[in-house]
């Protein structure tokens, strides 16, 4: 796995370039001042036949402006180059990670199918193999859908089918379905609810949000996984707190985790799989629902909490004037 991108080399080049321009400006000022002082000292004593003019201010000021403009241009070029190098690095990591993510379940499915074809597998083992292949297929489907829907989300061509749902009924059902898909134990997911407000949601998108959150909790937990979800219905919004007992997120990482392709590297879990798109996609989905998402973590080894805020749906008159459906 490639190490996180570092700008040290490019920053050094940039500093050297800026020092060069500053030295040039200094030489320019020195040349002007020295010529001016020389003229002041000898101008009165030289032969009047020699026409010596006072150094003009315009070339001096014009030269300074030109050098400052060149220095500012260097800043812009450095910023753009640094951004492009960073994007290239992130893109290379994404290609490597997604290749592994696609290859792993495909290899597993192929192995099970070859075993079923070449050997006489007992019925109980056949059932186990089929269940594992279905899980791998589900994983592949989620990965492909996430890539396609991120593209649609960015191009604002994502197809949505909003329906009105009761938050304390819909969200727990989504969480329990996701828990079943990941084959979590009955004691892993703990849900608490309060209130009875309606929310306007696209079912498929919201399911993918919690699929990704649970998937991240599984990946970044080194102990027996526990997930606590609290759904609090308030006057104008529904507050969903999703908390786990994973490795946590350092404060310096928290502002970056929703960026595209960004992944957290931890010594505790050095070989964790992922594409760096999950949380970026989640933020886009929540934003598309006119909501907000934030992360809270006290640091390494102290778990991670995500807070999702969704607006309460109140105006039922709009149901007759739009394609929104009421559940």
């Amino acid at each position: 796995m490639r190490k996180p991108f570092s700008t040290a080399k490019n920053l050094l080049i940039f500093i050297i370039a800026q020092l060069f321009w500053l030295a040039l400006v200094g030489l320019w000022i020195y040349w002007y001042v020295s010529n001016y002082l020389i003229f002041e000292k000898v101008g009165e004593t030289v032969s009047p036949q020699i026409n010596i003019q006072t150094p003009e201010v315009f070339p001096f000021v014009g030269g300074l402006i030109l050098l400052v403009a060149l220095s500012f241009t260097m800043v812009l070029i450095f910023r753009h180059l640094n951004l492009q190098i960073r994007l290239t690095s992130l893109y290379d990591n994404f290609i490597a990670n997604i290749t592994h993510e696609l290859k792993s379940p495909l290899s597993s499915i192929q192995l099970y199918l070859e075993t079923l074809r070449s050997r006489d597998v007992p019925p109980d083992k056949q059932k186990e193999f089929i269940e594992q292949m279905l899980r791998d297929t589900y994983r592949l489907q989620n990965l492909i859908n996430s890539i396609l829907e991120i593209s649609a989300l960015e191009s604002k061509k994502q197809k949505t089918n909003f329906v009105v749902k009761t938050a304390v009924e819909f969200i727990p059902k989504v969480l329990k379905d996701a828990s079943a898909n990941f084959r979590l134990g009955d004691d892993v997911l703990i849900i608490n609810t309060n209130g009875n407000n309606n929310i306007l949601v696209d079912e498929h998108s919201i399911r993918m949000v919690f699929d990704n959150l649970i998937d991240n909790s599984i990946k970044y937990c080194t102990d027996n996984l526990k997930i606590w979800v609290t759904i609090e219905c308030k006057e104008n919004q529904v507050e969903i707190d999703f908390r786990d007992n994973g490795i946590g997120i350092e404060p310096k990482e928290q502002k970056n985790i929703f960026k595209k392709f960004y992944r957290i590297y931890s010594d505790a879990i050095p070989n964790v799989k992922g594409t760096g798109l999950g949380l970026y996609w989640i933020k886009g989905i929540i934003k598309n629902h006119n909501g907000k998402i934030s992360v809270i973590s006290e640091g390494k080894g102290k778990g991670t909490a995500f807070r999702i805020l969704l607006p309460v749906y109140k105006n039922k008159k709009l149901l007759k004037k739009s394609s929104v459906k009421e559940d």
Side-chain angles (χ1 to χ4, degrees):
M1 184 175 294
R2 184 174 296 189
K3 295 181 179 179
F5 175 75
S6 174
T7 60
K9 183 178 179 180
N10 292 327
L11 183 60
L12 179 62
I13 295 173
F14 173 72
I15 291 174
I16 292 172
Q18 291 303 305
L19 289 175
F20 171 78
W21 289 118
L22 289 174
L24 193 57
V25 171
L27 288 173
W28 182 264
I29 295 173
Y30 174 77
W31 173 84
Y32 178 84
V33 172
S34 60
N35 278 308
Y36 181 80
L37 292 176
I38 291 172
F39 177 80
E40 287 290 325
K41 290 180 180 180
V42 304
E44 298 290 336
T45 59
V46 296
S47 173
Q49 287 82 10
I50 302 176
N51 185 15
I52 300 179
Q53 297 180 350
T54 304
E56 296 182 5
V57 176
F58 178 75
F60 173 69
V61 175
L64 285 179
I65 292 174
L66 178 61
L67 290 174
V68 170
L70 288 172
S71 181
F72 181 70
T73 303
M74 285 286 293
V75 172
L76 294 179
I77 292 173
F78 170 77
R79 182 178 179 277
H80 180 73
L81 178 62
N82 198 46
L83 179 62
Q84 290 301 315
I85 293 174
R86 179 180 290 273
L87 288 175
T88 300
S89 177
L90 291 173
Y91 179 75
D92 289 343
N93 281 333
F94 167 73
I95 293 298
N97 291 328
I98 202 169
T99 300
H100 185 272
E101 287 284 290
L102 290 170
K103 186 176 180 180
S104 179
L106 282 174
S107 298
S108 175
I109 293 171
Q110 182 181 4
L111 178 61
Y112 284 121
L113 288 174
E114 289 178 350
T115 303
L116 289 171
R117 184 181 65 177
S118 60
R119 297 185 181 183
D120 186 13
V121 181
D124 57 335
K125 277 292 182 181
Q126 289 183 20
K127 184 178 179 180
E128 182 182 332
F129 286 1
I130 292 171
E131 288 180 354
Q132 182 60 48
M133 285 189 289
L134 286 173
R135 286 196 296 271
D136 287 332
T137 304
Y138 179 74
R139 178 179 161 190
L140 277 173
Q141 184 180 15
N142 283 344
L143 179 61
I144 294 170
N145 285 341
S146 67
I147 296 171
L148 293 175
E149 293 197 25
I150 284 175
S151 177
L153 190 67
E154 290 181 334
S155 61
K156 298 183 179 179
K157 295 180 180 179
Q158 186 183 33
K159 294 181 180 179
T160 52
N161 183 24
F162 286 101
V163 294
V164 179
K165 294 285 186 179
T166 303
V168 295
E169 295 176 0
F170 172 66
I171 301 299
K173 184 178 184 304
V174 169
L175 287 164
K176 290 175 182 177
D177 289 345
S179 177
N181 289 331
F182 286 103
R183 301 179 67 84
L184 300 180
D186 295 335
D187 60 338
V188 172
L189 181 64
I190 301 170
I191 304 173
N192 294 305
T193 62
N194 181 30
N196 196 35
N197 288 341
N198 289 332
I199 52 177
L200 189 63
V201 295
D202 176 72
E203 292 186 69
H204 174 70
S205 297
I206 293 298
R207 288 182 184 277
M208 297 309 299
V209 165
F210 290 103
D211 277 351
N212 275 277
L213 288 177
I214 291 177
D215 187 40
N216 279 346
S217 295
I218 295 171
K219 289 177 179 177
Y220 292 98
C221 184
T222 57
D223 202 353
N224 293 326
L225 177 63
K226 288 285 185 181
I227 298 173
W228 299 269
V229 180
T230 302
I231 305 167
E232 182 80 16
C233 294
K234 298 184 178 180
E235 183 179 357
N236 295 315
Q237 64 185 16
V238 173
E239 186 177 290
I240 305 167
D241 287 329
F242 182 101
R243 181 168 57 91
D244 63 34
N245 63 333
I247 62 174
I249 304 174
E250 296 288 350
K252 63 181 181 180
E253 301 270 14
Q254 293 178 21
K255 63 181 180 180
N256 296 318
I257 62 171
F258 293 108
K259 292 181 179 179
K260 192 175 183 180
F261 300 136
Y262 190 85
R263 298 184 62 211
I264 297 173
Y265 296 86
S266 173
D267 294 335
I269 311 178
N271 297 318
V272 65
K273 302 174 184 177
T275 61
L277 292 174
L279 291 176
Y280 172 77
W281 186 27
I282 287 173
K283 184 177 181 180
I285 291 173
I286 298 302
K287 184 178 179 182
N288 199 36
H289 283 73
N290 296 317
K292 296 179 180 179
I293 183 170
S294 58
V295 63
I296 304 167
S297 179
E298 296 180 2
K300 189 175 181 179
K302 297 184 178 180
T304 303
F306 290 93
R307 174 164 292 175
I308 298 173
L309 303 177
L310 294 174
V312 170
Y313 183 80
K314 295 180 179 180
N315 193 356
K316 295 186 177 181
K317 293 181 181 180
L318 293 177
L319 291 172
K320 299 179 181 179
K321 299 180 181 180
S322 67
S323 59
V324 176
K325 299 178 182 179
E326 186 170 18
D327 190 45

Coordinates of all heavy atoms in Angstrom, one line a residue, residues 28-84:
W28 N 17.9 43.9 -7.9 CA 17.3 45.0 -8.6 C 17.3 46.3 -7.8 O 17.6 47.4 -8.3 CB 15.9 44.6 -9.0 CG 15.2 45.6 -9.9 CD1 14.3 46.6 -9.4 CD2 15.3 45.8 -11.3 NE1 13.8 47.3 -10.5 CE2 14.4 46.9 -11.6 CE3 16.0 45.2 -12.3 CZ2 14.3 47.3 -12.9 CZ3 15.8 45.6 -13.6 CH2 15.0 46.7 -13.9
I29 N 16.9 46.2 -6.5 CA 16.8 47.4 -5.6 C 18.3 47.9 -5.4 O 18.5 49.1 -5.4 CB 16.2 47.0 -4.3 CG1 14.7 46.6 -4.5 CG2 16.3 48.1 -3.3 CD1 14.0 46.1 -3.3
Y30 N 19.2 47.0 -5.2 CA 20.6 47.4 -5.0 C 21.1 48.1 -6.2 O 21.8 49.2 -6.0 CB 21.4 46.2 -4.7 CG 22.9 46.5 -4.6 CD1 23.4 47.1 -3.4 CD2 23.8 46.2 -5.6 CE1 24.8 47.4 -3.4 CE2 25.1 46.5 -5.6 CZ 25.6 47.1 -4.4 OH 27.0 47.4 -4.4
W31 N 20.8 47.6 -7.4 CA 21.3 48.3 -8.6 C 20.8 49.7 -8.7 O 21.5 50.7 -9.0 CB 20.9 47.5 -9.8 CG 21.2 48.2 -11.1 CD1 22.4 48.2 -11.8 CD2 20.3 49.0 -11.9 NE1 22.3 48.9 -12.9 CE2 21.0 49.4 -13.0 CE3 18.9 49.3 -11.7 CZ2 20.4 50.2 -14.0 CZ3 18.3 50.1 -12.7 CH2 19.1 50.6 -13.8
Y32 N 19.5 49.9 -8.4 CA 18.9 51.2 -8.6 C 19.4 52.2 -7.5 O 19.8 53.3 -7.9 CB 17.3 51.0 -8.4 CG 16.6 52.4 -8.5 CD1 16.3 52.9 -9.7 CD2 16.3 53.1 -7.3 CE1 15.6 54.1 -9.8 CE2 15.7 54.3 -7.4 CZ 15.3 54.8 -8.6 OH 14.7 56.0 -8.7
V33 N 19.5 51.7 -6.3 CA 19.9 52.6 -5.2 C 21.4 53.0 -5.4 O 21.8 54.1 -5.2 CB 19.7 51.9 -3.8 CG1 20.4 52.7 -2.7 CG2 18.2 51.7 -3.5
S34 N 22.2 52.0 -5.8 CA 23.7 52.3 -5.9 C 23.9 53.3 -7.1 O 24.7 54.2 -7.0 CB 24.5 51.0 -6.2 OG 24.0 50.4 -7.4
N35 N 23.2 53.1 -8.2 CA 23.3 54.1 -9.3 C 22.8 55.4 -8.9 O 23.4 56.5 -9.3 CB 22.5 53.6 -10.5 CG 23.2 52.5 -11.3 OD1 24.3 52.7 -11.7 ND2 22.6 51.4 -11.5
Y36 N 21.8 55.5 -8.1 CA 21.2 56.8 -7.7 C 22.2 57.5 -6.8 O 22.5 58.7 -6.9 CB 19.9 56.6 -7.0 CG 19.3 57.9 -6.5 CD1 18.6 58.7 -7.4 CD2 19.4 58.3 -5.2 CE1 18.0 59.9 -6.9 CE2 18.8 59.5 -4.7 CZ 18.1 60.3 -5.6 OH 17.6 61.4 -5.2
L37 N 22.8 56.7 -5.8 CA 23.8 57.4 -4.9 C 25.1 57.8 -5.7 O 25.6 58.9 -5.4 CB 24.2 56.3 -3.8 CG 23.1 56.0 -2.8 CD1 23.5 54.9 -1.9 CD2 22.6 57.2 -2.1
I38 N 25.5 57.0 -6.6 CA 26.7 57.4 -7.4 C 26.4 58.7 -8.2 O 27.2 59.6 -8.2 CB 27.1 56.3 -8.4 CG1 27.6 55.1 -7.6 CG2 28.1 56.8 -9.4 CD1 27.9 53.9 -8.4
F39 N 25.2 58.8 -8.7 CA 24.9 60.0 -9.5 C 24.8 61.2 -8.6 O 25.3 62.3 -8.9 CB 23.5 59.8 -10.2 CG 23.1 61.0 -10.9 CD1 23.6 61.4 -12.2 CD2 22.2 61.9 -10.3 CE1 23.2 62.5 -12.8 CE2 21.8 63.1 -11.0 CZ 22.3 63.3 -12.3
E40 N 24.3 61.0 -7.3 CA 24.2 62.1 -6.4 C 25.6 62.6 -6.0 O 25.8 63.8 -5.8 CB 23.5 61.7 -5.1 CG 22.0 61.5 -5.3 CD 21.3 62.8 -5.5 OE1 21.7 63.8 -4.9 OE2 20.3 62.9 -6.3
K41 N 26.6 61.7 -5.9 CA 27.9 62.1 -5.5 C 28.7 62.7 -6.6 O 29.5 63.7 -6.4 CB 28.7 60.9 -5.0 CG 28.1 60.4 -3.6 CD 28.9 59.2 -3.1 CE 28.4 58.7 -1.8 NZ 29.1 57.5 -1.3
V42 N 28.6 62.2 -7.8 CA 29.5 62.7 -8.9 C 28.7 63.6 -9.9 O 29.4 64.1 -10.8 CB 30.1 61.5 -9.6 CG1 30.9 60.6 -8.7 CG2 29.1 60.7 -10.4
G43 N 27.4 63.7 -9.8 CA 26.7 64.4 -10.8 C 27.1 65.9 -10.9 O 27.0 66.5 -12.0
E44 N 27.5 66.5 -9.8 CA 27.8 67.9 -9.8 C 29.2 68.2 -10.3 O 29.5 69.3 -10.7 CB 27.7 68.4 -8.3 CG 26.3 68.3 -7.7 CD 25.3 69.3 -8.3 OE1 25.8 70.3 -8.9 OE2 24.1 69.0 -8.3
T45 N 30.0 67.2 -10.3 CA 31.5 67.4 -10.7 C 31.8 67.0 -12.1 O 32.9 67.3 -12.5 CB 32.4 66.7 -9.7 OG1 32.1 65.3 -9.7 CG2 32.1 67.2 -8.2
V46 N 31.0 66.2 -12.7 CA 31.3 65.8 -14.0 C 31.2 66.9 -15.0 O 30.6 67.9 -14.8 CB 30.5 64.6 -14.5 CG1 30.7 63.4 -13.6 CG2 29.0 65.0 -14.4
S47 N 31.8 66.7 -16.2 CA 31.8 67.7 -17.2 C 30.3 68.0 -17.7 O 29.6 67.0 -17.9 CB 32.6 67.3 -18.4 OG 32.5 68.2 -19.5
P48 N 29.9 69.2 -17.8 CA 28.6 69.5 -18.2 C 28.3 69.0 -19.6 O 27.1 68.9 -20.0 CB 28.5 71.0 -18.2 CG 29.9 71.5 -18.2 CD 30.7 70.4 -17.6
Q49 N 29.4 68.7 -20.4 CA 29.1 68.2 -21.8 C 28.6 66.7 -21.7 O 28.0 66.2 -22.7 CB 30.4 68.2 -22.6 CG 30.8 69.6 -23.1 CD 31.6 70.3 -22.0 OE1 31.9 69.8 -21.0 NE2 31.7 71.7 -22.2
I50 N 28.8 66.1 -20.6 CA 28.4 64.7 -20.4 C 26.9 64.7 -19.9 O 26.7 65.3 -18.9 CB 29.3 63.9 -19.5 CG1 30.7 63.9 -20.0 CG2 28.7 62.5 -19.3 CD1 31.7 63.2 -19.1
N51 N 26.1 64.1 -20.7 CA 24.7 64.1 -20.3 C 24.3 62.9 -19.5 O 24.2 61.8 -20.0 CB 23.8 64.1 -21.6 CG 22.3 64.3 -21.2 OD1 21.9 64.6 -20.1 ND2 21.5 64.0 -22.2
I52 N 24.3 63.1 -18.1 CA 23.9 62.0 -17.2 C 22.5 62.2 -16.7 O 22.3 63.3 -16.0 CB 24.9 61.8 -16.1 CG1 26.3 61.6 -16.7 CG2 24.5 60.7 -15.2 CD1 27.4 61.4 -15.7
Q53 N 21.6 61.4 -16.9 CA 20.2 61.5 -16.4 C 20.0 60.8 -15.1 O 20.7 59.7 -14.9 CB 19.2 61.0 -17.5 CG 19.3 61.8 -18.8 CD 18.3 61.3 -19.8 OE1 17.7 60.2 -19.5 NE2 18.1 62.0 -20.8
T54 N 19.2 61.3 -14.3 CA 18.8 60.6 -13.0 C 18.1 59.3 -13.4 O 17.2 59.3 -14.2 CB 17.9 61.5 -12.2 OG1 18.6 62.8 -12.0 CG2 17.6 60.9 -10.8
P55 N 18.4 58.2 -12.7 CA 17.7 57.0 -12.9 C 16.2 57.2 -12.8 O 15.7 57.8 -11.8 CB 18.2 56.1 -11.8 CG 19.6 56.6 -11.5 CD 19.5 58.1 -11.6
E56 N 15.5 56.8 -13.7 CA 14.0 57.0 -13.7 C 13.3 56.0 -12.8 O 13.8 54.8 -12.6 CB 13.5 56.8 -15.1 CG 14.0 57.9 -16.1 CD 13.4 57.7 -17.5 OE1 12.5 56.8 -17.6 OE2 13.7 58.5 -18.4
V57 N 12.3 56.5 -12.1 CA 11.5 55.6 -11.2 C 10.7 54.6 -11.9 O 10.5 53.5 -11.4 CB 10.6 56.5 -10.3 CG1 9.8 55.7 -9.4 CG2 11.5 57.5 -9.5
F58 N 10.2 54.9 -13.1 CA 9.3 54.0 -13.8 C 9.9 52.7 -14.1 O 9.2 51.6 -13.8 CB 8.8 54.7 -15.1 CG 7.9 53.8 -15.9 CD1 6.5 53.6 -15.5 CD2 8.3 53.2 -17.0 CE1 5.7 52.8 -16.3 CE2 7.5 52.3 -17.8 CZ 6.2 52.2 -17.4
P59 N 11.1 52.6 -14.6 CA 11.7 51.3 -14.9 C 11.8 50.5 -13.6 O 11.6 49.2 -13.5 CB 13.0 51.5 -15.5 CG 12.9 52.9 -16.1 CD 12.0 53.6 -15.2
F60 N 12.2 51.2 -12.5 CA 12.4 50.5 -11.2 C 11.1 49.9 -10.7 O 11.0 48.8 -10.3 CB 12.9 51.5 -10.2 CG 13.0 51.0 -8.8 CD1 13.9 50.0 -8.5 CD2 12.2 51.5 -7.8 CE1 14.0 49.5 -7.2 CE2 12.2 51.0 -6.5 CZ 13.1 50.0 -6.2
V61 N 10.0 50.8 -10.7 CA 8.7 50.3 -10.2 C 8.2 49.2 -11.1 O 7.6 48.2 -10.7 CB 7.7 51.5 -10.1 CG1 6.3 51.0 -9.7 CG2 8.2 52.5 -9.1
G62 N 8.3 49.4 -12.4 CA 7.8 48.4 -13.4 C 8.5 47.1 -13.2 O 7.9 46.0 -13.3
G63 N 9.8 47.2 -13.0 CA 10.6 45.9 -12.8 C 10.1 45.2 -11.5 O 10.0 44.0 -11.5
L64 N 9.9 46.0 -10.4 CA 9.4 45.4 -9.2 C 8.0 44.7 -9.4 O 7.8 43.6 -8.9 CB 9.3 46.4 -8.1 CG 10.6 46.9 -7.4 CD1 10.3 47.9 -6.4 CD2 11.3 45.7 -6.8
I65 N 7.2 45.4 -10.1 CA 5.8 44.8 -10.4 C 6.0 43.5 -11.2 O 5.3 42.5 -10.9 CB 4.9 45.8 -11.1 CG1 4.6 47.0 -10.2 CG2 3.7 45.2 -11.6 CD1 3.9 48.2 -10.9
L66 N 6.9 43.5 -12.2 CA 7.1 42.3 -13.0 C 7.6 41.2 -12.2 O 7.1 40.0 -12.3 CB 8.1 42.6 -14.1 CG 8.4 41.5 -15.0 CD1 7.2 40.9 -15.8 CD2 9.5 41.9 -16.0
L67 N 8.5 41.4 -11.3 CA 9.1 40.4 -10.4 C 8.0 39.8 -9.4 O 7.9 38.6 -9.2 CB 10.3 40.9 -9.7 CG 11.5 41.1 -10.5 CD1 12.6 41.8 -9.7 CD2 12.0 39.8 -11.2
V68 N 7.2 40.8 -8.9 CA 6.1 40.3 -8.0 C 5.1 39.5 -8.7 O 4.6 38.5 -8.2 CB 5.5 41.5 -7.3 CG1 4.2 41.1 -6.5 CG2 6.4 42.2 -6.3
A69 N 4.8 39.9 -9.9 CA 3.8 39.1 -10.8 C 4.4 37.7 -11.1 O 3.7 36.7 -11.0 CB 3.5 39.9 -12.1
L70 N 5.7 37.7 -11.4 CA 6.3 36.4 -11.7 C 6.3 35.5 -10.4 O 6.0 34.3 -10.5 CB 7.7 36.6 -12.1 CG 7.9 37.1 -13.6 CD1 9.4 37.4 -13.8 CD2 7.4 36.1 -14.6
S71 N 6.5 36.1 -9.2 CA 6.5 35.4 -8.0 C 5.1 34.8 -7.7 O 4.9 33.7 -7.3 CB 7.0 36.3 -6.8 OG 7.0 35.5 -5.6
F72 N 4.1 35.7 -7.9 CA 2.7 35.2 -7.7 C 2.3 34.1 -8.7 O 1.6 33.2 -8.3 CB 1.8 36.4 -7.9 CG 0.3 36.1 -7.7 CD1 -0.2 35.8 -6.4 CD2 -0.6 36.1 -8.8 CE1 -1.5 35.5 -6.2 CE2 -1.9 35.8 -8.6 CZ -2.4 35.5 -7.3
T73 N 2.8 34.2 -9.9 CA 2.6 33.2 -10.9 C 3.2 31.9 -10.5 O 2.6 30.8 -10.6 CB 3.1 33.6 -12.3 OG1 2.5 34.8 -12.7 CG2 2.8 32.5 -13.3
M74 N 4.4 32.0 -9.9 CA 5.0 30.8 -9.4 C 4.2 30.1 -8.3 O 4.1 28.9 -8.2 CB 6.4 31.1 -8.8 CG 7.5 31.4 -9.9 SD 8.0 29.9 -10.7 CE 8.8 29.0 -9.4
V75 N 3.6 30.9 -7.4 CA 2.7 30.4 -6.4 C 1.5 29.6 -7.0 O 1.2 28.5 -6.5 CB 2.2 31.5 -5.5 CG1 1.1 31.0 -4.5 CG2 3.4 32.2 -4.7
L76 N 0.9 30.2 -8.0 CA -0.2 29.6 -8.6 C 0.2 28.3 -9.3 O -0.5 27.2 -9.2 CB -0.9 30.5 -9.7 CG -1.5 31.8 -9.1 CD1 -2.1 32.6 -10.2 CD2 -2.7 31.4 -8.1
I77 N 1.3 28.3 -10.0 CA 1.8 27.1 -10.7 C 2.1 26.0 -9.7 O 1.8 24.8 -9.9 CB 3.1 27.4 -11.5 CG1 2.7 28.3 -12.7 CG2 3.7 26.2 -12.0 CD1 3.9 28.8 -13.5
F78 N 2.8 26.4 -8.6 CA 3.1 25.4 -7.5 C 1.8 24.8 -6.9 O 1.7 23.6 -6.8 CB 3.9 26.1 -6.4 CG 4.1 25.2 -5.2 CD1 5.0 24.2 -5.2 CD2 3.3 25.4 -4.1 CE1 5.1 23.4 -4.1 CE2 3.4 24.6 -2.9 CZ 4.3 23.6 -3.0
R79 N 0.8 25.6 -6.7 CA -0.4 25.2 -6.1 C -1.1 24.2 -7.0 O -1.6 23.1 -6.6 CB -1.4 26.3 -5.8 CG -2.7 25.9 -5.1 CD -3.5 27.2 -4.8 NE -4.8 26.8 -4.2 CZ -5.8 26.4 -4.9 NH1 -5.8 26.4 -6.2 NH2 -7.0 26.1 -4.3
H80 N -1.2 24.6 -8.3 CA -1.8 23.7 -9.3 C -1.1 22.4 -9.5 O -1.7 21.3 -9.5 CB -1.9 24.4 -10.7 CG -2.6 23.7 -11.7 ND1 -4.0 23.4 -11.8 CD2 -2.1 23.0 -12.8 CE1 -4.3 22.7 -12.8 NE2 -3.2 22.4 -13.5
L81 N 0.2 22.5 -9.6 CA 1.1 21.3 -9.8 C 0.9 20.4 -8.5 O 0.8 19.1 -8.7 CB 2.5 21.7 -10.0 CG 3.5 20.5 -10.1 CD1 3.2 19.7 -11.3 CD2 5.0 21.1 -10.2
N82 N 0.9 20.9 -7.4 CA 0.8 20.2 -6.1 C -0.5 19.4 -6.1 O -0.6 18.3 -5.7 CB 1.0 21.1 -4.9 CG 1.3 20.3 -3.7 OD1 2.2 19.4 -3.7 ND2 0.6 20.6 -2.6
L83 N -1.6 20.1 -6.5 CA -2.9 19.6 -6.5 C -3.0 18.4 -7.5 O -3.5 17.3 -7.2 CB -3.9 20.6 -6.9 CG -5.4 20.2 -7.0 CD1 -5.9 19.6 -5.6 CD2 -6.3 21.3 -7.4
Q84 N -2.4 18.6 -8.7 CA -2.4 17.6 -9.7 C -1.6 16.3 -9.3 O -2.1 15.2 -9.5 CB -1.9 18.1 -11.0 CG -2.7 19.1 -11.7 CD -4.1 18.6 -12.1 OE1 -4.3 17.5 -12.5 NE2 -5.1 19.3 -11.8

